């Protein structure tokens, strides 16, 4: 039952990811990225993490990407001036070759190793029973309380930093 | 669907993102490449989380979402500031510190 | 003949989806008439009273409007981005309709010995789903403004992005109080828990914050900066005409119905009657109509905010109040022991 939606979403994600990289217009890239993010949210549902799927759509597609689109519109950078110049001309073909090599390498490693199977508490059935929101929340406020608090500090620092950067010098 | 399928998909997405950062010269699109790489890592986290029947991977993804939000806000502010001072969105033009 | 249970579930879902969509589209058509009539009465005018009038109200006006809309010229701005210009209204309507997948409409009942649930899906992340879909609604407006390649559209789109992102925060936080009381993200559970006392009794502040933020979220007066006609012509929809304009219009009205339905479900007990009297879909419809009437009333009465006032109000009044509401709710629950 899982394989049809998986292959559909996986193909969608890969095609849209290629779109992000090759589109000339930044707005189209952003839209392709939105498709990738939504497809990944679908995959999270398949992996019995519906809470993360909703968070992914809400935070990534709904807030972060909108910020991208906002900045693209603000700057209207247009389609020109996206070619590497001078000494960096050889970077493009090389990057594609190394990207292919990276995929091949990772595939090789994956084929050669047998990944361990856990026997933990959080089986998909258990997650469906208590709800993934509750499971993540409980872990977040017990075992991961310190990282969680540090994240809030990080967000505050980022906010202050952005205000300093964006403020007009008077 | 075994965990390998998801990890392989994650590897493909990560590589596409990395290539995107390397071949594009528009900082906005390079940034989107970085987001692709982050999301590929997230997918791997969630897949492993199910494989190991542990919730830790999902918690990490949640924290990564927060970090990504902070990162994007700062990064976009830098791009806007850059555009204001240099009137360009090509990273090759940003070479004032080049010796 | 016995059918596979999966096939039955599938047929049931398709039927429910079609019924909900048809109901929403009909409601949209007649809301345009109601709005014109209500605004006319507020402004001491007569209002539409010609097409198929019964008792002074033009009951066939929506059909006449639809026919007019379809036969208008479909205008394309010369420098428009063809693809984005075309898909933007579709995105707007699609995201507006998607929210109804989790809305509980009526208590589950037995019909001919077969249990029927009056919602399309009961997911245990229902409220998060609503917020996620709601946050995607910005795309339609932003892309419409960008694709038209028009300065007014662009300004309207930029404004609405900033406005919707700002008020979305307060909107989400206003719902957190309800979630804390109910202890569930499932809309069905939240409604069932309100069978006797509605959440608005415990969450009056959250309710007010939600409603204000919701009005801003659907770009209605006094928050209709994205389409302020006195300065931006028509904002993001300036260049749209014919069916594409109708789609934007439809998205706007369906969003009104949706935020009203969410307010009714989260705070006023959804399909539950007061003190448990005769629960049913009629209560939900009544509550939605009440909220929509208030929105029309506000449109007929209030002047538009200035843009800096709008932003200051959102970030410096609404957001701190929403946070204080969560804090107080948590404190009370801690003291009382939930």
């Amino acid at each position: 039952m899982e394989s049809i939606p998986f292959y559909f979403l996986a193909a969608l994600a890969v095609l849209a990811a290629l779109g992000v990289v090759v589109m000339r217009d930044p707005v189209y890239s952003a839209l392709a990225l939105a498709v990738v993010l939504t497809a990944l949210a679908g995959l999270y549902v398949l992996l019995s993490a519906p809470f993360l799927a909703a968070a992914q759509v809400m935070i990534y597609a709904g807030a972060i990407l909108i910020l991208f689109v906002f900045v693209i519109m603000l700057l209207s950078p247009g389609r020109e001036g996206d070619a590497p110049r001078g000494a960096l001309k050889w970077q493009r073909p090389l990057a594609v070759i190394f990207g292919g090599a990276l995929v091949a390498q990772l595939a090789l490693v994956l084929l050669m190793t047998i990944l361990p199977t856990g026997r933990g508490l959080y089986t998909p059935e258990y997650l469906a029973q208590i709800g993934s929101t509750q499971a993540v929340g409980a872990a977040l406020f017990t075992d991961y309380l310190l990282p969680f608090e540090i994240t809030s500090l990080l967000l505050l620092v980022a906010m202050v930093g952005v205000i300093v950067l964006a403020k007009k010098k008077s | 669907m075994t965990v390998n399928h998801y990890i392989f998909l994650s590897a493909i997405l990560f590589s596409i993102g990395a290539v995107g950062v390397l071949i594009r010269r528009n900082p906005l699109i390079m940034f989107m490449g970085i987001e692709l790489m982050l999301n590929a890592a997230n997918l791997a986290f969630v897949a492993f989380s199910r494989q190991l029947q542990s919730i830790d991977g999902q918690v990490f993804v949640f924290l990564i979402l927060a970090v990504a939000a902070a990162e994007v806000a700062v990064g976009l502010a830098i791009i806007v500031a850059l555009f204001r001072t240099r009137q360009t969105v090509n990273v090759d033009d940003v070479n004032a510190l080049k010796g | 003949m016995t059918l596979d249970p999966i096939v039955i579930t599938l047929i049931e879902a398709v039927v429910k989806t079609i019924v909900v969509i048809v109901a929403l589209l009909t409601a949209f058509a007649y809301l345009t008439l109601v709005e014109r009539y209500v605004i006319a009465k507020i402004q001491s005018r007569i209002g539409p009273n010609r097409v198929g009038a019964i008792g002074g109200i033009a009951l066939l006006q929506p059909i006449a409007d639809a026919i007019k809309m379809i036969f208008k010229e479909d205008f394309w701005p010369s420098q428009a981005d063809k693809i984005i210009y075309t898909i933007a209204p579709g995105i707007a309507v699609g995201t507006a309709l998607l929210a109804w997948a989790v809305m509980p409409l009526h208590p589950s009942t037995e019909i001919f010995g077969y249990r029927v649930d009056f919602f399309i899906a009961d997911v245990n992340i229902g409220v998060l789903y609503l917020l996620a879909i709601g946050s995607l609604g910005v795309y339609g407006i932003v892309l419409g403004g960008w694709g038209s390649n028009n300065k007014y559209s662009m300004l309207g789109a930029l404004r609405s992005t900033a406005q919707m992102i700002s008020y979305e925060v307060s909107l989400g936080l206003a719902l957190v109080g309800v979630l804390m009381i109910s202890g569930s993200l499932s809309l069905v559970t939240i409604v069932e828990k309100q069978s006797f006392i509605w959440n608005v009794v415990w969450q009056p502040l959250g309710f007010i914050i939600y409603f204000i933020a919701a009005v801003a979220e659907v770009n209605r007066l006094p928050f209709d900066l994205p389409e302020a006609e006195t300065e931006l012509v028509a904002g993001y929809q300036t260049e749209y005409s014919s069916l594409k304009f109708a789609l934007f219009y439809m998205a706007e009205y369906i969003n009104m119905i949706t935020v009203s339905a969410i307010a009714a479900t989260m705070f006023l007990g959804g399909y539950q009657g007061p003190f448990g009297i005769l629960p049913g879909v009629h209560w939900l419809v009544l509550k939605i109509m009440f909220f929509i009437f208030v929105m029309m009333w506000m449109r007929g009465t209030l002047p538009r905010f200035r843009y800096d006032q709008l932003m200051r109000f959102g970030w410096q009044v609404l957001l701190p109040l929403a946070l204080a509401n969560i804090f107080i709710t948590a404190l009370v629950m801690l003291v009382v022991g939930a």
Side-chain angles (χ1 to χ4, degrees), chain A residues 25 27-28 31 34 50-51 54 57-58 61-63 65-66 69-70 72-74 76 79 128 131-133, chain C residues 81 83-84 87 124-125 128-129 131-133 135-136 138-139 142-143 146 154 157-158 161-162 165 168 185:
Chain A
D25 193 330
V27 174
Y28 281 89
L31 281 185
F51 168 68
V57 175
M58 198 165 26
L65 210 55
I66 286 286
V69 175
F70 193 78
I72 293 169
M73 289 185 178
L74 211 61
S76 310
R79 294 151 207 224
S132 74
T133 317
Chain C
D81 191 322
I83 299 172
I84 291 184
I87 61 171
N124 58 13
I125 52 156
L128 282 176
Y129 171 85
L131 291 173
I133 294 299
S135 67
L136 290 182
V138 195
Y139 277 101
V142 166
L143 295 177
W146 165 265
M154 182 77 174
L158 281 177
T161 322
I165 289 181
E168 215 169 75
L185 283 168

Side-chain angles (χ1 to χ4, degrees), chain A residues 2 6-7 21 23 37 43-44 56 60 75 77 81-82 85 91-92 103 116 118 120 122-123 144 151 166, chain B residues 1 5-6 9 15 22-26 35 39 42 51 53 56 59 65-66 68 83-84 89-90 92-93:
Chain A
E2 198 187 328
F6 172 79
Y7 282 116
V21 173
M23 292 286 189
L37 297 174
L43 289 173
Y44 292 169
Q56 165 98 353
Y60 249 117
L75 304 184
D82 196 34
R85 289 172 207 157
Q91 195 178 349
R92 251 179 204 189
V103 175
Y122 295 95
T123 56
Y144 291 93
T151 310
Chain B
M1 286 296 107
H5 289 85
Y6 287 95
L9 174 64
S15 308
L22 289 172
I23 66 173
R24 298 305 293 259
R25 279 292 160 273
N26 184 333
E35 293 305 318
N39 272 289
N42 280 353
Q51 172 78 2
Q53 299 183 350
D56 299 355
V59 176
L65 282 181
F83 187 76
R84 263 197 206 142
V89 281
N90 188 321
D92 285 346
D93 293 337

Side-chain angles (χ1 to χ4, degrees), chain B residues 15-70:
Chain B
S15 308
I16 293 175
V19 171
V21 172
L22 289 172
I23 66 173
R24 298 305 293 259
R25 279 292 160 273
N26 184 333
L28 286 162
I29 295 177
M30 293 169 77
F31 216 164
M32 288 179 208
I34 295 173
E35 293 305 318
L36 267 182
M37 288 152 77
L38 267 177
N39 272 289
N42 280 353
L43 179 63
F45 264 127
V46 181
F48 279 129
S49 172
R50 186 181 70 168
Q51 172 78 2
L52 301 174
Q53 299 183 350
S54 135
I55 201 74
D56 299 355
Q58 297 195 20
V59 176
F60 280 133
V61 173
F62 188 75
L63 296 175
I64 292 172
L65 282 181
V67 173

Side-chain angles (χ1 to χ4, degrees), chain C residues 92-104:
Chain C
V93 173
T95 52
L97 286 174
L98 271 177
W100 284 81
V102 294
M103 206 71 78

